[in-house]
Amino acid sequence: MNDQHWGPSISADIVVIGGGTAGIGFVASLLKRDPQLKVTVIEPSSQHYYQPAWTLVGGGAFDVKDTVRPMSQVMPRQATWIQASVSAIDPQSRQLTLDDQRTVSYQNLIVCPGLRLAWEKIEGLQESLGQHGVTSNYSYQHAQYTWDQVQKLRDGRALFTQPAMPIKCAGAPQKALYLSCDYWRKSAVLKDIKVEFNLAGAALFGVPTFVPPLMKYIEQYDAQLAFNSNLVKVDGPAKTAWFAVKDADGNVSRVAKTFDLLHVVPPQVAPDFIAQSPLADAGGWCEVDPQSLQHPRYPEVFALGDVCGTSNAKTAAAVRKQVVVVAQNLLAARKQQPLPLKYDGYGSCPLTVEKGKVILAEFGYGGKLLPTFPLDPTVARRSAWWLKATLLPWFYWHGMLKGREWLTRLSRID
């Protein structure tokens, strides 16, 4: 139900900020447990996106049109949808202010608006994106342009970038590189293309177990790694990118590099209305207990998804488990009972190292390996590609957004 006709002040019971993967998945799971609950979702977008497939679109393995559906189709029917943005949160008085000045009061608040892609932090990027060979799989509008440019490139220099953490799907910046290189190798032009991966950080991947198998592919594709190299400026017409490069002593210099293809991953930040609210931690993310996902100072508030100030990988797979934790813990909190479930930091990064093969990296807090299947997780497999490209997109639309909780085994709080 989409209700935009209320007066300036709205009184609600359970309010969910965000209709992305976390918001819709949570509401569906919660209403399966108790269909009588009154749930209000605040979400400005009229479209819902399956973002994990954009890497595949950029690699020519998925149709971008299959990654979007109308929000009205995925919004659970029993929920009330307010199509607006939140501009401020006052947890003291349990009240939200919307962008149209209406206020919404709540009994419980579930915070899951995702994060914001800060394209504007890279000078000249917004003017260049989608032309001059400048592209990004982090954008619905440009993932197809990535694939168009990859097919066109026969020689020259291809730069791939990764900003400082945290970002959503930490493996996605290098997945773009692998799928592009695999295509160039099969087209017999890889030898004429200089490939370089510029990472703001000092490691190829945050979980050391997966670095050796990934390095084999970096070497196979003859890609150069430039660590501590952060993209700060782009001039599309001049085909030049500037990087802030940090040396061993911590000195930063600006280095210009020319390109024929530039795949950019933008810096990523918490939405302003979270970062500027009392709910925020020092980094601007929504503060939660990392296990219960309950806010430490406002017990009626829970959060899940990319907005959380937790150390897990920001992926749809993480949300799949967080949904169950928050649904169960919220119901317990509403009855003044102890919170039953704890989140172990699970996240999954299906690393598409070539078209048709994936290294399925699954891990939790502290980089602890949490494989779902009893197979060596460091081996690239065709079965994992089938999971990523066929099964998971289908399950997303028909399972996760409908409250079906698949592969969500969790620990209980003792």
Side-chain angles (χ1 to χ4, degrees), residues 50 52-53 56 62 66-67 69 74 385-404 406:
Y50 179 61
L56 298 175
F62 209 91
D66 293 336
T67 70
R69 296 201 178 169
V74 301
W385 174 274
W386 176 79
L387 185 80
K388 160 86 179 156
T390 305
L391 182 60
L392 288 178
W394 177 89
F395 174 72
Y396 182 82
W397 298 113
H398 302 284
M400 193 169 163
L401 298 189
K402 308 281 189 208
R404 295 191 177 93
W406 180 58

Side-chain angles (χ1 to χ4, degrees), residues 330-402:
L330 171 70
L331 292 175
R334 284 169 67 87
K335 293 173 185 159
Q336 279 88 45
Q337 293 171 353
L339 306 187
L341 292 185
K342 63 181 179 188
Y343 172 56
D344 55 9
Y346 175 85
S348 162
C349 219
L351 294 148
T352 50
V353 287
E354 55 184 290
K355 191 172 180 180
K357 278 196 180 174
V358 160
I359 291 174
L360 187 56
E362 297 176 283
F363 46 91
Y365 288 138
K368 182 186 177 188
L369 299 192
L370 296 171
T372 301
F373 308 103
L375 301 165
D376 181 348
T378 64
V379 175
R381 299 179 191 277
R382 292 194 180 284
S383 56
W385 174 274
W386 176 79
L387 185 80
K388 160 86 179 156
T390 305
L391 182 60
L392 288 178
W394 177 89
F395 174 72
Y396 182 82
W397 298 113
H398 302 284
M400 193 169 163
L401 298 189
K402 308 281 189 208

Side-chain angles (χ1 to χ4, degrees), residues 175-254:
K175 296 185 212 178
L177 180 149
Y178 299 137
L179 289 177
S180 302
C181 286
D182 184 50
Y183 175 79
W184 293 326
R185 182 181 59 178
K186 286 170 179 160
S187 309
V189 297
L190 184 59
K191 63 187 183 312
D192 301 315
I193 298 172
K194 192 170 185 240
V195 178
E196 192 177 284
F197 189 24
N198 287 265
L199 305 94
L204 180 60
F205 195 68
V207 183
T209 308
F210 296 102
V211 172
L214 293 173
M215 277 306 298
K216 278 191 193 143
Y217 277 95
I218 292 286
E219 287 156 14
Q220 213 173 296
Y221 295 136
D222 199 22
Q224 300 306 303
L225 296 178
F227 293 113
N228 301 306
S229 178
N230 187 36
L231 179 67
V232 291
K233 181 181 173 183
V234 177
D235 183 335
K239 299 262 189 181
T240 306
W242 285 265
F243 296 84
V245 179
K246 197 191 290 180
D247 68 14
D249 300 321
N251 303 312
V252 178
S253 58
R254 198 170 262 221

Side-chain angles (χ1 to χ4, degrees), residues 34 102 270 328 405 411:
D34 184 351
R102 284 183 294 175
Q328 294 275 78
E405 293 159 6
S411 309

Side-chain angles (χ1 to χ4, degrees), residues 250-262:
N251 303 312
V252 178
S253 58
R254 198 170 262 221
V255 178
K257 299 181 182 185
T258 57
F259 62 82
D260 297 282
L261 170 72
L262 174 65

